[in-house]
Amino acid sequence: MARAVAGRIGRGGALVVEAATGVGKTFAYLVPALLSGERVLVSTATKTLQDQLFGRDLPHLRDALGLPLRAALLKGRGSYLCLHRLEGARHQLAPGERAAQQALARIERWAPATRTGDLAEVPALDERSPVIPLVTSTRENCLGGDCPQFRACHVNHARREAMAADLVVINHHLFFADLALKETGMAELLPSVRVAVLDEAHQLNEIGVQFLGRQLGTGQLFDFGRDLLATGLQLARGLADWPALASLLEAAVRQWRLAVAAQRQGARLRWPGTCPDGVDAPLWQAGVAQVNDALVACAEALDTVSELAPDFGRLAARALELQARLAHFAEPVAPGSVRWLDVGFQLRLVESPLDIADAVRTRLLGDVGEGTEAADDAEAPAPMERPRAWVFVSATLGDDARLSWFTEPCGLADAEVLRVGSPFDFARQAALYVPPGFPKPADPGHSPAVARLAAQMAERLGGRTLVLTTTLRALRVIGDALAERLAGHGITVLVQGSAPKRVLIERFREGATAGGRGAVLVASSSFWEGVDVPGDALQAVVIDKLPFPPPGDPLVEARCQRLEAEGRSGFADYSVPEAAVALKQGAGRLIRRETDTGLLVVCDTRLTGMSYGRRLLAALPPMRRLPDATAFEAALTQLAGDLASETEVYE
């Protein structure tokens, strides 16, 4: 892999690498990149890997190679303390918000001493704290050069360091935010980079379509009203009726949401025309009109005080931008895009392209084909003496030789493709079991049966079991059933949502050292990837169902319809590859080191009973198969016995 990366750096162009767990892909792309002497950009999907690369991997390599490397870490503005917003944060907290006040006090004590302004440094600050939006800026509320704290701004300082660095570590959200908005500082950075590595590349398409489309959420409207009230009372009290204006907007937004959400909580509604499906059109249009009228009233009041402080000018611009977004969603959806309405705690209006292929070809690679309009000059890649090298890396990028699950939607069909297998001996280290005669996935008894099987395994293994579910409903049912079954056994049941992901994983790891009675972690969505628990703390992974994309999802439907219009199969060419990649991700949680051992249980008989099951099985690591309950029991007994032996030796 390192030789392939070095060769691509020399020639330029795109290389796509699927490198299985255990390969050491991070070092395999970092070593040739560093030795090339070129300026390098590395983008990851998560802040966790960003911090790991910058704080652990790069220092080790810099020392080992003896290179005078200057590296910089650049995150999105939401990760950095905004000194200007910190000054007004206390005015936005109610007297009874004790926890928020304590969190703000910690930030205020830390602020004078920090060099980076990265809120990840603040001790015991919950990443979900409601204080964070009060002390960070967004594209909408940042004052830019008009800010009184502009020279001391932590975001600007981070961008200046990035521009002076030999290697910069960013994340995909930042990368695509700049591609769409030209706002993050990347517009200056990327043209000077000769080597760009996008790690965890399997997330590129889904992250990219978020930023290349349009969104408007009621949360944004509430945030605007809150900032309007706080800024008005702080800087222009008595010059306008700020409480009345904020209340007018809040009431309009709440009434709009209630009119739509009354019977459709948790739904994702198709939106092929000018109104979401199943929504009363007059109610929808009346709600939009009321929100627009409230924004107009706010903008008019802000115009009267715009010269008092730059904050008011920015608020007025936000009001106009929110009006423009409302107006956009009143127009028909653009060809090649799909629009829907998320109905939950807030309304979220979304329009996105079906994939990022065009954006990658025109804005990154500059490969504009016949019949495709080129992006404007401001978006086109800057000319270089030699072509830029693009390296896309992940452990899971598809289930065929060309990795078409990834390369097609990402506009990389002509890229060089390399697949590197794992060094692990899966046939010795792990076993796969599909329980025969298990309830069908749609059967009401399926989730309770998953819980019974997982409880049996956890009792024998002293916890050490990760249960991955495909839906939040299954998460709740299985989590509750496991808590009931394992009560009194000394095994902790951890359920996604009860604490931040990082905290849950730490508790899961620690549980294995608690007198041999560990923990069970029940999780969905993001826990199918990014969970690294090597050693004895994790010995069993239970997957409830095959992770097919939800058929009623508007984006899934639109992608399948496009394939069918091309004469292809939406199920075979979209749903099955999606399931294969997700299944491979989930299974990848089990074996993380050459010394790990464990059991993978997939509680879905379609894996062995349906024709497409062979394709899904082929995507999994080559574990040995357990044909029946007797073989499963023997493997479980062996695994439990090995654990007991290791515990005795340790003691």
Side-chain angles (χ1 to χ4, degrees), residues 3 26 48 72 126 132 139 199 276 396 440 468 470 532 536 593:
R3 286 195 295 270
T26 304
T48 300
D126 190 332
I132 291 178
R139 182 181 69 88
D199 201 345
T396 49
K440 295 184 182 300
L468 295 174
T470 53
D532 187 16
D536 293 345
R593 301 291 185 273

Side-chain angles (χ1 to χ4, degrees), residues 522-537:
V522 186
S524 185
S525 59
S526 62
F527 284 75
W528 283 68
E529 58 182 276
V531 175
D532 187 16
V533 185
D536 293 345

